Amino acid sequence: MRRVIRFADLERSDVGLVGGKNASLGELIGHLDPAGVRVPDGFATTADAFREFLAQGRLQGEIVAQLDRLRAGSPLAEVGAAVRAAILATPLPAPLVDELAEGYARLGREAGRTDPDVAVRSSATAEDLPEASFAGQQETFLNVRGREALLDACRRCFASLFTDRAIDYRERLGFDHLSVALSVGVQLMVRSDLGGSGVMFTLDPESGFPEAVVVSAAWGLGETVVSGQVDPDEYLVFKPLLKDPGLDPVLQTVCGPKRHKSVYGEEGLTRIVETSEEERAALVLDRAEVRRLAEWAVAVEEHYGCPMDLEWAKDGRSGQLFVVQARPETVQSRRRGTVLRRYRLTGTGERLVDGIAVGEAVGAGPVRRLQSPVEIGSFPDGAVLVTAITDPDWEPLMKKASAIVTDHGGRTSHAAIVSRELGVPAVVGTGRATEVLPDGQQVTVSCAEGAEGHVYRGNVDFEESETDLDSLPATRTKVMLNLADPAAAFRWWRLPADGVGLARTEFVVAHQVRVHPMALLHPERLSAEDRRQVDALTDGHPDRAEYFVDRLAQGVARIAASRWPDPVVVRTSDFKTNEYARLVGGAPFEPVEANPMIGWRGASRYYDDRYREGFALECRALRRVRDEMGLTNLVVMIPFCRTPEEADRVLAVMADNGLARGRNGLRVFVMAEIPANILLAGEFAERFDGFSIGSNDLTQLTLGVDRDSDLLAHLFDESNPAVTRSIETLIATAHAAGRHVGLCGQRPSNDPAFTRFLVDAGIDSISVTPDSFAAVKQQVAAAEHGRPGAK
């Protein structure tokens, strides 16, 4: 009988012998070394050794009897405790003790130290399968030293095959309890207690977007990240650009608070301590380390042929990175790729607390605030679970909840992982849910509004819809998306859109930067209160200008990556002066205008000395996305450009800031929203590569109607002949010059007749909001079918 096998002698086909976790470690060591993937050495006990253990002392009969009691109605907690007690009271067989001791001694000799510190991990033979995730249900013990401590940890791992959550999970999925064996992995510790650790996915865990690697990181041992005890750093890496060493594929970096870390305990094992202020403010990984981890993750994914969920660790003494676990991702990879299910709030309510959205659904119910999973008996089906953090002991309770809200945890915490698998919406890392959500209060938990989740007071109406993407027709006219919120961009990757026709930088500035760019460059003009707010927002950024560039670049890059390699048209900022003034520190830099709608906005600001420096920061951000990150599908679009001479001045300023039209394939479009853009379309076509019709402003300025006036609403009509003839004229003139023409207004979403008009006029693209995409795509196809020669 083989009771102990070295990792190096295992492959992933050995799941039945040593469980999914240990088989995967063997696969990594044996096959990923050429890719540079480092994995700590170790060995595993076998399923045969576990069954030999159960065969002695009539353990198997005791387990069967206890499980029969469970099915007869005995409490899960009582049955689980009885099974575990019986296992812990049974000594390990002498042959297994001898082989464990020899394997441990050999590991120490090869590592050059006596009684090495090891991680002792449970690996079930039904674990980490593509169709089910048993991750986290059995125990792991870190910083185990010495022969006796190792033997005790092994026996505790055996017992953890029958934790309450593991019993419940196998019952729910129909797995035979005694057909599952427990292998114990013994692996050299990485001194991440002195460094950092975390997890990474080879797809976006919320949307399933397959071209991203998402890395989470915290100080110390990895148990705090997995359990959700810390809110970690998060890094987003774009896979398609990883292979080019001259590009920076790290699109987004978020510094988490990381208030605690797990370190070695004084008497062995581990303890939780608070982090220092310096640790909380600093990133765990630099960009080179993030890139290396992402390269390893992609190599592992390519080898396994499926999306992966990995754990990594950084040794604080050597600075080396290691992969310590790898398993198939089991939530997004199992979703039907051709059906898009979406939730949308149709009502409103008071927002009580916010956090990270897990999933994309909406749930509602009464709040049930718990401190411990032992209170499961008091938890009614369909309630909203509110707690500080969850761990695997909470799982039998979590499946009863309509939604879950936690104080702590990130997108890779236990609460997030299990919520995704159960399909239960969750808002994690709120910081204060247990303080502000009282027992019994009716709430609605929404994860349908982007990366941020919200908890609303009362029952807020919502609707659910499904779109069969396979049923959408092909069209010659491109149908593109209007996107504003970078956090929501990945949600729509499955839509068969032809790119993004309008991404508004002012949304990113308003929500992610929040500071007027000139306030960052000229703080001497700010009030004391504005300076305080700017200092708070830019904390951790010694260079205030770099804060603006970094935030804007990250937001734009996320949108550009979501549709790569299709074009993504990014409009430079088009705030009105009154809107700019509302940004932090904006008032000193903005004049008071009687009519901001047709005032100092768009192109007229970019070359003006009062804003030229601010526009330069925008150009730096866009250049970073294109030239440094490599997202050359980004197309720059200039709004509200009144004259060809103004266009020349703007293009010159752009070129001065590294955004010369044609350089590195840069295309520059102009908004067609002023009658002058139509009348002088030939001159504008000499300066720009394309036009995008802003139908709202074009209608307003053609008809002389304030689009926000209730009194004149009956006159505001994009289908008025004055407007439609302008559109026809622009398309004909632009096409004669070989220029692209698109439209990014909302009218096609509401008016099939207007869509038909655009198609008949020969428009090249129509850009709409994601929730309107399917309907407009079908309308375009119908319009094309009615045209002579249409396919």
mmCIF file of all heavy atoms in Angstrom, residues 215-250:
data_model
loop_
_atom_site.group_PDB
_atom_site.id
_atom_site.type_symbol
_atom_site.label_atom_id
_atom_site.label_comp_id
_atom_site.label_asym_id
_atom_site.label_seq_id
_atom_site.Cartn_x
_atom_site.Cartn_y
_atom_site.Cartn_z
ATOM 1 N N VAL A 215 -5.932 39.687 -9.377
ATOM 2 C CA VAL A 215 -5.047 39.285 -8.278
ATOM 3 C C VAL A 215 -5.440 40.056 -7.027
ATOM 4 O O VAL A 215 -5.551 41.287 -7.053
ATOM 5 C CB VAL A 215 -3.569 39.576 -8.622
ATOM 6 C CG1 VAL A 215 -2.655 39.121 -7.482
ATOM 7 C CG2 VAL A 215 -3.171 38.909 -9.931
ATOM 8 N N SER A 216 -5.663 39.347 -5.933
ATOM 9 C CA SER A 216 -5.890 39.976 -4.632
ATOM 10 C C SER A 216 -4.682 39.728 -3.748
ATOM 11 O O SER A 216 -4.066 38.660 -3.826
ATOM 12 C CB SER A 216 -7.147 39.409 -3.964
ATOM 13 O OG SER A 216 -8.297 39.721 -4.715
ATOM 14 N N ALA A 217 -4.352 40.711 -2.885
ATOM 15 C CA ALA A 217 -3.137 40.606 -2.082
ATOM 16 C C ALA A 217 -3.324 41.267 -0.733
ATOM 17 O O ALA A 217 -3.950 42.325 -0.617
ATOM 18 C CB ALA A 217 -1.961 41.255 -2.824
ATOM 19 N N ALA A 218 -2.760 40.636 0.296
ATOM 20 C CA ALA A 218 -2.747 41.213 1.643
ATOM 21 C C ALA A 218 -1.430 40.844 2.305
ATOM 22 O O ALA A 218 -0.723 39.935 1.864
ATOM 23 C CB ALA A 218 -3.930 40.712 2.464
ATOM 24 N N TRP A 219 -1.108 41.545 3.374
ATOM 25 C CA TRP A 219 0.100 41.215 4.134
ATOM 26 C C TRP A 219 -0.124 39.930 4.921
ATOM 27 O O TRP A 219 -1.239 39.627 5.340
ATOM 28 C CB TRP A 219 0.465 42.348 5.088
ATOM 29 C CG TRP A 219 0.743 43.659 4.406
ATOM 30 C CD1 TRP A 219 -0.002 44.796 4.477
ATOM 31 C CD2 TRP A 219 1.845 43.957 3.538
ATOM 32 N NE1 TRP A 219 0.553 45.789 3.714
ATOM 33 C CE2 TRP A 219 1.695 45.304 3.125
ATOM 34 C CE3 TRP A 219 2.936 43.230 3.067
ATOM 35 C CZ2 TRP A 219 2.596 45.930 2.267
ATOM 36 C CZ3 TRP A 219 3.835 43.855 2.217
ATOM 37 C CH2 TRP A 219 3.669 45.185 1.826
ATOM 38 N N GLY A 220 0.945 39.171 5.139
ATOM 39 C CA GLY A 220 0.876 37.987 5.970
ATOM 40 C C GLY A 220 0.379 36.762 5.243
ATOM 41 O O GLY A 220 0.293 36.709 4.006
ATOM 42 N N LEU A 221 0.031 35.744 6.021
ATOM 43 C CA LEU A 221 -0.426 34.470 5.486
ATOM 44 C C LEU A 221 -1.790 34.626 4.813
ATOM 45 O O LEU A 221 -2.580 35.502 5.178
ATOM 46 C CB LEU A 221 -0.494 33.440 6.604
ATOM 47 C CG LEU A 221 0.832 33.195 7.346
ATOM 48 C CD1 LEU A 221 0.596 32.403 8.620
ATOM 49 C CD2 LEU A 221 1.818 32.471 6.443
ATOM 50 N N GLY A 222 -2.082 33.713 3.882
ATOM 51 C CA GLY A 222 -3.230 33.895 3.010
ATOM 52 C C GLY A 222 -4.583 33.638 3.627
ATOM 53 O O GLY A 222 -5.598 33.940 3.009
ATOM 54 N N GLU A 223 -4.635 33.098 4.843
ATOM 55 C CA GLU A 223 -5.934 32.747 5.411
ATOM 56 C C GLU A 223 -6.835 33.965 5.600
ATOM 57 O O GLU A 223 -8.065 33.856 5.550
ATOM 58 C CB GLU A 223 -5.743 32.017 6.743
ATOM 59 C CG GLU A 223 -4.956 32.791 7.787
ATOM 60 C CD GLU A 223 -4.605 31.916 8.995
ATOM 61 O OE1 GLU A 223 -5.527 31.346 9.593
ATOM 62 O OE2 GLU A 223 -3.414 31.824 9.314
ATOM 63 N N THR A 224 -6.255 35.161 5.799
ATOM 64 C CA THR A 224 -7.092 36.341 6.002
ATOM 65 C C THR A 224 -7.803 36.758 4.724
ATOM 66 O O THR A 224 -8.916 37.281 4.774
ATOM 67 C CB THR A 224 -6.250 37.521 6.516
ATOM 68 O OG1 THR A 224 -5.208 37.797 5.581
ATOM 69 C CG2 THR A 224 -5.643 37.214 7.876
ATOM 70 N N VAL A 225 -7.170 36.552 3.569
ATOM 71 C CA VAL A 225 -7.804 36.913 2.300
ATOM 72 C C VAL A 225 -8.938 35.951 1.983
ATOM 73 O O VAL A 225 -10.055 36.351 1.648
ATOM 74 C CB VAL A 225 -6.769 36.907 1.155
ATOM 75 C CG1 VAL A 225 -7.454 37.246 -0.175
ATOM 76 C CG2 VAL A 225 -5.661 37.909 1.432
ATOM 77 N N VAL A 226 -8.665 34.656 2.112
ATOM 78 C CA VAL A 226 -9.668 33.646 1.777
ATOM 79 C C VAL A 226 -10.865 33.732 2.717
ATOM 80 O O VAL A 226 -12.015 33.580 2.301
ATOM 81 C CB VAL A 226 -9.037 32.241 1.809
ATOM 82 C CG1 VAL A 226 -10.085 31.173 1.573
ATOM 83 C CG2 VAL A 226 -7.936 32.142 0.759
ATOM 84 N N SER A 227 -10.604 34.000 3.993
ATOM 85 C CA SER A 227 -11.693 34.044 4.967
ATOM 86 C C SER A 227 -12.470 35.346 4.907
ATOM 87 O O SER A 227 -13.585 35.428 5.423
ATOM 88 C CB SER A 227 -11.131 33.868 6.383
ATOM 89 O OG SER A 227 -10.322 34.978 6.743
ATOM 90 N N GLY A 228 -11.879 36.374 4.305
ATOM 91 C CA GLY A 228 -12.565 37.661 4.246
ATOM 92 C C GLY A 228 -12.301 38.544 5.443
ATOM 93 O O GLY A 228 -12.997 39.536 5.655
ATOM 94 N N GLN A 229 -11.294 38.228 6.230
ATOM 95 C CA GLN A 229 -10.990 39.050 7.401
ATOM 96 C C GLN A 229 -10.338 40.371 7.031
ATOM 97 O O GLN A 229 -10.290 41.284 7.850
ATOM 98 C CB GLN A 229 -10.060 38.281 8.356
ATOM 99 C CG GLN A 229 -10.708 37.045 8.960
ATOM 100 C CD GLN A 229 -9.737 36.278 9.839
ATOM 101 O OE1 GLN A 229 -9.398 36.708 10.935
ATOM 102 N NE2 GLN A 229 -9.275 35.141 9.356
ATOM 103 N N VAL A 230 -9.807 40.473 5.814
ATOM 104 C CA VAL A 230 -9.212 41.727 5.362
ATOM 105 C C VAL A 230 -9.822 42.140 4.034
ATOM 106 O O VAL A 230 -10.331 41.308 3.282
ATOM 107 C CB VAL A 230 -7.674 41.619 5.187
ATOM 108 C CG1 VAL A 230 -7.001 41.322 6.501
ATOM 109 C CG2 VAL A 230 -7.309 40.592 4.141
ATOM 110 N N ASP A 231 -9.757 43.438 3.769
ATOM 111 C CA ASP A 231 -10.134 43.979 2.472
ATOM 112 C C ASP A 231 -8.834 44.191 1.707
ATOM 113 O O ASP A 231 -8.089 45.137 1.970
ATOM 114 C CB ASP A 231 -10.889 45.296 2.651
ATOM 115 C CG ASP A 231 -12.121 45.114 3.537
ATOM 116 O OD1 ASP A 231 -12.804 44.091 3.375
ATOM 117 O OD2 ASP A 231 -12.376 45.969 4.397
ATOM 118 N N PRO A 232 -8.517 43.310 0.756
ATOM 119 C CA PRO A 232 -7.176 43.271 0.172
ATOM 120 C C PRO A 232 -6.964 44.297 -0.932
ATOM 121 O O PRO A 232 -7.904 44.941 -1.413
ATOM 122 C CB PRO A 232 -7.108 41.849 -0.398
ATOM 123 C CG PRO A 232 -8.531 41.566 -0.801
ATOM 124 C CD PRO A 232 -9.392 42.247 0.236
ATOM 125 N N ASP A 233 -5.698 44.430 -1.348
ATOM 126 C CA ASP A 233 -5.399 45.114 -2.606
ATOM 127 C C ASP A 233 -5.969 44.276 -3.747
ATOM 128 O O ASP A 233 -6.121 43.062 -3.621
ATOM 129 C CB ASP A 233 -3.889 45.232 -2.826
ATOM 130 C CG ASP A 233 -3.181 46.051 -1.759
ATOM 131 O OD1 ASP A 233 -3.851 46.832 -1.065
ATOM 132 O OD2 ASP A 233 -1.951 45.894 -1.618
ATOM 133 N N GLU A 234 -6.244 44.948 -4.864
ATOM 134 C CA GLU A 234 -6.698 44.198 -6.041
ATOM 135 C C GLU A 234 -6.041 44.771 -7.291
ATOM 136 O O GLU A 234 -5.933 45.986 -7.452
ATOM 137 C CB GLU A 234 -8.213 44.254 -6.190
ATOM 138 C CG GLU A 234 -8.739 43.353 -7.301
ATOM 139 C CD GLU A 234 -10.239 43.210 -7.277
ATOM 140 O OE1 GLU A 234 -10.767 42.571 -6.357
ATOM 141 O OE2 GLU A 234 -10.888 43.758 -8.187
ATOM 142 N N TYR A 235 -5.592 43.878 -8.151
ATOM 143 C CA TYR A 235 -4.903 44.248 -9.384
ATOM 144 C C TYR A 235 -5.615 43.572 -10.555
ATOM 145 O O TYR A 235 -5.957 42.390 -10.480
ATOM 146 C CB TYR A 235 -3.447 43.786 -9.357
ATOM 147 C CG TYR A 235 -2.685 44.147 -8.101
ATOM 148 C CD1 TYR A 235 -2.763 43.343 -6.967
ATOM 149 C CD2 TYR A 235 -1.878 45.281 -8.053
ATOM 150 C CE1 TYR A 235 -2.062 43.666 -5.811
ATOM 151 C CE2 TYR A 235 -1.170 45.605 -6.903
ATOM 152 C CZ TYR A 235 -1.265 44.796 -5.787
ATOM 153 O OH TYR A 235 -0.578 45.114 -4.649
ATOM 154 N N LEU A 236 -5.805 44.331 -11.635
ATOM 155 C CA LEU A 236 -6.441 43.809 -12.832
ATOM 156 C C LEU A 236 -5.411 43.791 -13.955
ATOM 157 O O LEU A 236 -4.830 44.820 -14.295
ATOM 158 C CB LEU A 236 -7.631 44.681 -13.228
ATOM 159 C CG LEU A 236 -8.320 44.328 -14.539
ATOM 160 C CD1 LEU A 236 -9.027 42.987 -14.429
ATOM 161 C CD2 LEU A 236 -9.316 45.422 -14.942
ATOM 162 N N VAL A 237 -5.199 42.611 -14.533
ATOM 163 C CA VAL A 237 -4.209 42.443 -15.591
ATOM 164 C C VAL A 237 -4.921 41.973 -16.856
ATOM 165 O O VAL A 237 -5.778 41.085 -16.806
ATOM 166 C CB VAL A 237 -3.130 41.416 -15.187
ATOM 167 C CG1 VAL A 237 -2.034 41.345 -16.244
ATOM 168 C CG2 VAL A 237 -2.526 41.777 -13.828
ATOM 169 N N PHE A 238 -4.546 42.569 -17.999
ATOM 170 C CA PHE A 238 -5.185 42.244 -19.275
ATOM 171 C C PHE A 238 -4.331 41.217 -20.009
ATOM 172 O O PHE A 238 -3.206 41.477 -20.426
ATOM 173 C CB PHE A 238 -5.331 43.519 -20.102
ATOM 174 C CG PHE A 238 -6.172 43.362 -21.336
ATOM 175 C CD1 PHE A 238 -7.419 42.764 -21.284
ATOM 176 C CD2 PHE A 238 -5.722 43.848 -22.555
ATOM 177 C CE1 PHE A 238 -8.205 42.634 -22.416
ATOM 178 C CE2 PHE A 238 -6.499 43.726 -23.700
ATOM 179 C CZ PHE A 238 -7.740 43.117 -23.632
ATOM 180 N N LYS A 239 -4.878 40.018 -20.175
ATOM 181 C CA LYS A 239 -4.117 38.895 -20.734
ATOM 182 C C LYS A 239 -3.538 39.139 -22.137
ATOM 183 O O LYS A 239 -2.389 38.797 -22.391
ATOM 184 C CB LYS A 239 -5.002 37.650 -20.796
ATOM 185 C CG LYS A 239 -5.346 37.013 -19.487
ATOM 186 C CD LYS A 239 -6.172 35.767 -19.809
ATOM 187 C CE LYS A 239 -6.895 35.235 -18.614
ATOM 188 N NZ LYS A 239 -7.797 34.137 -19.001
ATOM 189 N N PRO A 240 -4.329 39.667 -23.089
ATOM 190 C CA PRO A 240 -3.799 39.744 -24.459
ATOM 191 C C PRO A 240 -2.515 40.546 -24.605
ATOM 192 O O PRO A 240 -1.804 40.376 -25.591
ATOM 193 C CB PRO A 240 -4.957 40.410 -25.230
ATOM 194 C CG PRO A 240 -6.185 40.034 -24.466
ATOM 195 C CD PRO A 240 -5.749 40.061 -23.029
ATOM 196 N N LEU A 241 -2.215 41.415 -23.645
ATOM 197 C CA LEU A 241 -1.023 42.255 -23.758
ATOM 198 C C LEU A 241 0.127 41.748 -22.901
ATOM 199 O O LEU A 241 1.191 42.368 -22.862
ATOM 200 C CB LEU A 241 -1.366 43.698 -23.370
ATOM 201 C CG LEU A 241 -2.518 44.326 -24.163
ATOM 202 C CD1 LEU A 241 -2.755 45.754 -23.715
ATOM 203 C CD2 LEU A 241 -2.236 44.283 -25.655
ATOM 204 N N LEU A 242 -0.060 40.621 -22.232
ATOM 205 C CA LEU A 242 0.982 40.100 -21.344
ATOM 206 C C LEU A 242 2.236 39.669 -22.092
ATOM 207 O O LEU A 242 3.342 39.747 -21.558
ATOM 208 C CB LEU A 242 0.439 38.897 -20.559
ATOM 209 C CG LEU A 242 -0.043 39.136 -19.132
ATOM 210 C CD1 LEU A 242 -0.653 37.855 -18.590
ATOM 211 C CD2 LEU A 242 1.071 39.619 -18.235
ATOM 212 N N LYS A 243 2.065 39.197 -23.318
ATOM 213 C CA LYS A 243 3.194 38.615 -24.039
ATOM 214 C C LYS A 243 4.164 39.663 -24.587
ATOM 215 O O LYS A 243 5.259 39.323 -25.023
ATOM 216 C CB LYS A 243 2.691 37.716 -25.170
ATOM 217 C CG LYS A 243 2.032 36.433 -24.692
ATOM 218 C CD LYS A 243 1.617 35.551 -25.864
ATOM 219 C CE LYS A 243 1.199 34.164 -25.400
ATOM 220 N NZ LYS A 243 0.043 34.195 -24.505
ATOM 221 N N ASP A 244 3.761 40.924 -24.581
ATOM 222 C CA ASP A 244 4.638 41.989 -25.083
ATOM 223 C C ASP A 244 5.376 42.619 -23.908
ATOM 224 O O ASP A 244 4.770 43.342 -23.106
ATOM 225 C CB ASP A 244 3.813 43.041 -25.818
ATOM 226 C CG ASP A 244 4.692 44.060 -26.545
ATOM 227 O OD1 ASP A 244 5.844 44.264 -26.123
ATOM 228 O OD2 ASP A 244 4.215 44.642 -27.535
ATOM 229 N N PRO A 245 6.681 42.384 -23.771
ATOM 230 C CA PRO A 245 7.421 42.912 -22.619
ATOM 231 C C PRO A 245 7.515 44.430 -22.606
ATOM 232 O O PRO A 245 7.827 45.032 -21.573
ATOM 233 C CB PRO A 245 8.806 42.270 -22.769
ATOM 234 C CG PRO A 245 8.930 41.935 -24.220
ATOM 235 C CD PRO A 245 7.549 41.609 -24.684
ATOM 236 N N GLY A 246 7.235 45.060 -23.740
ATOM 237 C CA GLY A 246 7.314 46.512 -23.789
ATOM 238 C C GLY A 246 6.052 47.209 -23.320
ATOM 239 O O GLY A 246 6.023 48.444 -23.246
ATOM 240 N N LEU A 247 5.006 46.454 -23.000
ATOM 241 C CA LEU A 247 3.740 47.041 -22.565
ATOM 242 C C LEU A 247 3.490 46.758 -21.092
ATOM 243 O O LEU A 247 4.020 45.798 -20.523
ATOM 244 C CB LEU A 247 2.587 46.473 -23.401
ATOM 245 C CG LEU A 247 2.644 46.742 -24.906
ATOM 246 C CD1 LEU A 247 1.491 46.047 -25.616
ATOM 247 C CD2 LEU A 247 2.623 48.243 -25.192
ATOM 248 N N ASP A 248 2.667 47.589 -20.486
ATOM 249 C CA ASP A 248 2.279 47.404 -19.090
ATOM 250 C C ASP A 248 0.823 46.954 -19.057
ATOM 251 O O ASP A 248 -0.091 47.769 -19.198
ATOM 252 C CB ASP A 248 2.442 48.710 -18.314
ATOM 253 C CG ASP A 248 2.050 48.567 -16.846
ATOM 254 O OD1 ASP A 248 1.722 47.438 -16.429
ATOM 255 O OD2 ASP A 248 2.069 49.574 -16.122
ATOM 256 N N PRO A 249 0.570 45.649 -18.870
ATOM 257 C CA PRO A 249 -0.800 45.152 -18.937
ATOM 258 C C PRO A 249 -1.576 45.264 -17.624
ATOM 259 O O PRO A 249 -2.692 44.770 -17.525
ATOM 260 C CB PRO A 249 -0.602 43.681 -19.314
ATOM 261 C CG PRO A 249 0.690 43.327 -18.634
ATOM 262 C CD PRO A 249 1.544 44.566 -18.663
ATOM 263 N N VAL A 250 -0.970 45.890 -16.590
ATOM 264 C CA VAL A 250 -1.674 46.064 -15.313
ATOM 265 C C VAL A 250 -2.591 47.273 -15.469
ATOM 266 O O VAL A 250 -2.152 48.424 -15.367
ATOM 267 C CB VAL A 250 -0.689 46.258 -14.145
ATOM 268 C CG1 VAL A 250 -1.458 46.369 -12.822
ATOM 269 C CG2 VAL A 250 0.308 45.109 -14.091
#
